[in-house]
Amino acid sequence: MAEKRVVIGIDGAPDCENAIRWGAAEAAARGVGLHLVHAFVWAEFKVPLGASDVAPGLWAYADGIVADALELARKFEPGLPVTASRADGFPAAVLLAESRCAELIVLGSRVSGRLVGLLVSSTGMELATHAHCPVVVVRPGVDLAVGSRVVIGYDGSPAADAAIDFGLGYARRHGLVARIVTVLAEDEDDDHDLTAALRAHQDARAAEFIEVTGHPAELLLEWSADAQLLVVGSRGRGGFSGLLLGSVSQTVLHQAPCPVAVIPRSAVEVPDAH
Ligand SMILES: Nc1ncnc2c1ncn2[C@@H]1O[C@H](COP(=O)(O)OP(=O)(O)O)[C@@H](O)[C@H]1O
Ligand SMILES: [Mg+2]
């Protein structure tokens, strides 16, 4: 299998500048390479691009996006092995394929241009639901160095267990305090201590454990006010099985000002682990 790397989906500056900054720093911290990929959607539209007048311009534009992203990544992390390419296809399909052999996929949360913005946010949702590795969505225009904590939403589900591992690893690599937040429902009996097993976790010794009662997404966001990263699973313990992305993960993806890492179920259940 190819060596694992951090992959960033790029669709043009300035909106993915922060995603590049975040992804490059994380690749360096993990000691792995970085790959930048731009999905060239025009290849999917069944128009004869080859012979048309617009094709060279579209390709040149796409190649410009790739070149600019490469330059930014090199500026942010000189010395980091970086590759970049244009891949024919829709962003979700291109990035889902990449996620099979990536350690992590990083996306910007929107791009300029309303239509493309929609496309990208649906890409983010699609990836957070189906990717084979963790997905981090990074908002443009926010200061990534603000905040001193990694906040992990923990509801006892398998995806939340994976969120714990991811969040504690990130905290260790970046010298941040991990805060594990469990929100109990008003009527939930709290004699089963959800976090009991976690407290024995080697990396969790220095972590803060917060247990509060109320609305999960709201309280998770409140306790993330000083977060550099918020980590959740794509699904939790409850909800409607018809939902592919749980309501808590959807809400924090849309509303958290800091980068959000989602650990998809498809990244937790490794299909060839036997
Ligand atoms: N009550 C909660 N307290 C803390 N974190 C939570 C809580 N509920 C959900 N989360 C976080 O959000 C993720 C997604 O859960 P959720 O959106 O509730 O999905 P579902 O609808 O399947 O329960 C979980 O893996 C967990 O990280
Ligand atoms: Mg839930």
Side-chain angles (χ1 to χ4, degrees):
M1 191 200 270
E3 204 188 317
K4 292 259 179 182
R5 57 193 184 177
V6 170
V7 172
I8 311 182
I10 49 165
D11 38 39
D15 289 335
C16 55
E17 183 170 329
N18 252 0
I20 297 171
R21 193 191 306 270
W22 195 96
E26 184 55 9
R30 287 172 180 250
V32 301
L34 179 67
H35 181 59
L36 306 161
V37 61
H38 174 60
F40 186 64
V41 294
W42 294 100
E44 291 299 303
F45 301 134
K46 305 299 176 212
V47 288
L49 274 180
S52 75
D53 292 344
V54 285
L58 291 176
W59 279 317
Y61 181 71
D63 289 341
I65 288 176
V66 173
D68 289 349
L70 195 56
E71 195 183 317
L72 268 182
R74 290 195 172 128
K75 187 183 93 183
F76 292 144
E77 287 296 334
L80 179 73
V82 189
T83 54
S85 67
R86 188 186 78 196
D88 288 351
F90 288 115
V94 165
L95 292 168
L96 278 177
E98 287 286 343
S99 78
R100 292 190 176 272
C101 53
E103 273 205 28
L104 184 63
I105 297 258
V106 185
L107 301 167
S109 70
R110 92 184 134 71
V111 298
S112 36
R114 283 165 57 210
L115 194 59
V116 184
L118 265 180
L119 199 69
V120 166
S121 103
S122 74
T123 303
M125 300 305 254
E126 176 88 22
L127 265 285
T129 309
H130 295 299
H132 301 280
C133 68
V135 175
V136 178
V137 176
V138 182
R139 242 169 254 308
V142 298
D143 182 353
L144 297 176
V146 159
S148 54
R149 284 181 167 67
V150 177
V151 175
I152 306 160
Y154 186 71
D155 67 350
S157 63
D161 280 331
I164 293 284
D165 291 337
F166 185 93
L168 292 179
Y170 188 85
R172 182 172 25 78
R173 282 192 298 281
H174 297 271
L176 299 168
V177 176
R179 172 187 287 158
I180 298 166
V181 179
T182 297
V183 184
L184 299 167
E186 305 284 354
D187 54 356
E188 199 163 349
D189 80 61
D190 51 3
D191 16 280
H192 65 286
D193 184 357
L194 273 183
T195 53
L198 287 182
R199 290 173 206 262
H201 197 299
Q202 176 90 2
D203 279 343
R205 278 202 202 120
E208 290 176 294
F209 288 85
I210 308 289
E211 244 179 46
V212 284
T213 299
H215 188 282
E218 237 167 64
L219 287 170
L220 204 48
L221 285 169
E222 250 175 55
W223 283 93
S224 303
D226 57 352
Q228 249 188 46
L229 179 70
L230 171 57
V231 191
V232 293
S234 64
R235 291 300 311 267
R237 285 194 300 152
F240 306 98
S241 52
L243 280 182
L244 290 172
L245 197 56
S247 65
V248 173
S249 33
Q250 288 202 35
T251 305
V252 302
L253 262 179
H254 288 302
Q255 307 209 353
C258 63
V260 176
V262 179
I263 320 299
R265 266 192 183 171
S266 30
V268 179
E269 298 153 0
V270 184
D272 52 4
H274 47 69

